[in-house]
Amino acid sequence: MEVVKKIYEMKAISLKARQNGKIIAFVPTMGYFHEGHLSLMREGRRRGDLLIVSLFVNPTQFGPSEDFKKYPRDFQRDHKMAEEAGVDFLFCPEVEEMYPPDHQTIVRVEKLTKGLCGRSRPNHFQGVTTVVNMLFNIVMPQIAIFGEKDFQQLVTVRQMVKDLYMDVEIIGMPTVREQDGLAMSSRNTYLNPKERKAATLLYQSLKKAEQLVIHGEKSVEKIINEMKKILTSDPLVSLDYIQICDTHTLEDVSSIDRGVVIALAAFVGQTRLIDNILIRK
Ligand code: AMP
């Protein structure tokens, strides 16, 4: 595996690969790898001739009071894990090179980013779409792989690719979980043992919702109330939102009569976690 730091080097490598008819599979990440990231890399390895992973903690997708500075970073550990996953190039640009002082272009997807996490993180998704666009232009992949864990991000990136006629196929991969159901996340490292235990309530509430739907419940209000009962059973959890949305438009549904995503965000102690479950009909 080769580590690439400079944008012009990455572009030269990708251009050459494309000229040689290679399929580039790309996995954008912010590092501090776990099995969720590795599942994306394995899929990329399977689909591409060349597997490129970016490791870039993108400042523009963090709000002013969020955790950009303390976001977990461990280059040696990530390097080893990426190498073992069969990554060909690990692209780790510097913030100063990605965002020189005269950088002034933003890519924003409008409707899809208004609800869910967009409500409490107003500039988050424009930070994501801008950096993903920049990374696509540098890495030039034919295939890019994202996790369903960040479902709104996945749908938003798909919309951007469609709207801007970008030649990248977006692949979504299922959420990888710990044994007790907690969705893997680099932010789980912030949790102390009590919080870690309380964090399992997120998935428990989603499973409860799924059970209710399987048994025929159609009322969104009833499902959300049942989920709230579970989430409020521990004072360490404070809910940001629960929404039940159409999987394509991310608009709230009034009754479960089609494929939906049940999505939530909650603070566990000081740590904001998200999770979701897809219900296909
Ligand atoms: P991040 O490094 O958190 O920005 O995530 C990089 C990519 O990994 C994104 O496409 C995420 O959706 C995906 N990802 C993060 N956690 C998981 C998980 N538990 N299961 C599957 N994919 C994940």
Side-chain angles (χ1 to χ4, degrees):
M1 186 179 74
E2 200 177 311
V3 175
V4 180
K5 290 205 134 187
K6 292 290 173 201
I7 292 170
Y8 78 89
E9 276 180 52
M10 191 68 262
K11 284 190 99 157
I13 290 163
S14 291
L15 199 58
K16 189 161 161 244
R18 299 262 317 208
Q19 282 164 350
N20 290 332
K22 305 279 189 222
I23 300 291
I24 302 176
F26 176 48
V27 179
T29 81
M30 299 206 299
Y32 214 76
F33 296 148
H34 49 66
E35 273 298 317
H37 295 114
L38 296 182
S39 74
L40 271 47
M41 293 180 205
R42 287 188 202 108
E43 184 66 11
R45 184 68 283 161
R46 204 176 69 72
R47 288 176 178 262
D49 301 313
L50 209 67
L51 172 58
I52 303 180
V53 171
S54 64
L55 195 176
F56 180 64
V57 185
N58 174 39
T60 67
Q61 69 190 69
F62 290 80
S65 61
E66 291 180 359
D67 56 341
F68 173 67
K69 282 219 171 93
K70 71 164 193 167
Y71 196 82
R73 293 165 171 90
D74 187 339
F75 180 75
Q76 290 312 322
R77 177 176 171 277
D78 284 349
H79 182 281
K80 187 164 180 284
M81 289 169 81
E83 188 151 50
E84 284 168 8
V87 174
D88 294 305
F89 294 97
L90 188 61
F91 177 49
C92 319
E94 297 290 343
V95 172
E96 293 71 21
E97 200 189 358
M98 288 289 273
Y99 296 106
D102 67 338
H103 180 101
Q104 49 192 300
T105 302
I106 285 169
V107 179
R108 188 169 66 231
V109 174
E110 297 285 356
K111 277 195 270 179
L112 288 170
T113 62
K114 292 273 187 286
L116 301 159
C117 287
R119 211 178 305 271
S120 41
R121 305 186 75 193
N123 292 330
H124 169 69
F125 288 106
Q126 70 176 43
V128 170
T129 40
T130 302
V131 81
V132 168
N133 214 307
M134 290 157 67
L135 290 166
F136 282 0
N137 288 334
I138 296 166
V139 172
M140 297 178 237
Q142 289 96 331
I143 299 169
I145 304 150
F146 292 81
E148 287 175 353
K149 150 104 188 327
D150 301 276
F151 191 74
Q152 190 175 16
Q153 167 174 287
L154 171 63
V155 176
T156 299
V157 168
R158 274 195 211 287
Q159 187 71 37
M160 171 186 78
V161 164
K162 177 173 175 285
D163 289 348
L164 301 181
Y165 301 98
M166 300 168 86
D167 285 322
V168 191
E169 184 187 355
I170 304 298
I171 310 287
M173 294 293 289
T175 302
V176 178
R177 299 179 178 283
E178 302 286 355
Q179 282 210 330
D180 60 9
L182 177 65
M184 289 197 182
S185 163
S186 310
R187 289 191 168 98
N188 291 349
T189 52
Y190 298 149
L191 302 170
N192 68 32
K194 277 191 184 148
E195 292 165 348
R196 172 65 186 78
K197 191 155 175 283
T200 59
L201 294 176
L202 274 61
Y203 187 58
Q204 282 175 37
S205 74
L206 290 167
K207 286 304 273 183
K208 173 76 185 178
E210 185 185 53
Q211 281 306 311
L212 289 168
V213 175
I214 288 170
H215 290 103
E217 184 57 71
K218 291 205 173 348
S219 159
V220 164
E221 197 188 330
K222 276 192 193 150
I223 294 169
I224 291 181
N225 280 340
E226 288 301 314
M227 291 177 72
K228 279 186 181 160
K229 277 188 208 160
I230 295 174
L231 289 162
T232 55
S233 69
D234 191 316
L236 285 171
V237 179
S238 77
L239 189 61
D240 179 357
Y241 69 80
I242 303 174
Q243 282 183 244
I244 303 187
C245 305
D246 179 282
T247 42
H248 299 288
T249 64
L250 300 186
E251 281 168 8
D252 286 335
V253 298
S254 46
S255 141
I256 316 276
D257 51 10
R258 65 190 103 164
V260 293
V261 56
I262 306 183
L264 63 81
F267 282 89
V268 180
Q270 301 293 309
T271 304
R272 187 175 181 281
L273 300 177
I274 58 171
D275 200 353
N276 69 77
I277 201 162
L278 284 163
I279 306 220
R280 296 185 168 91
K281 281 235 161 169

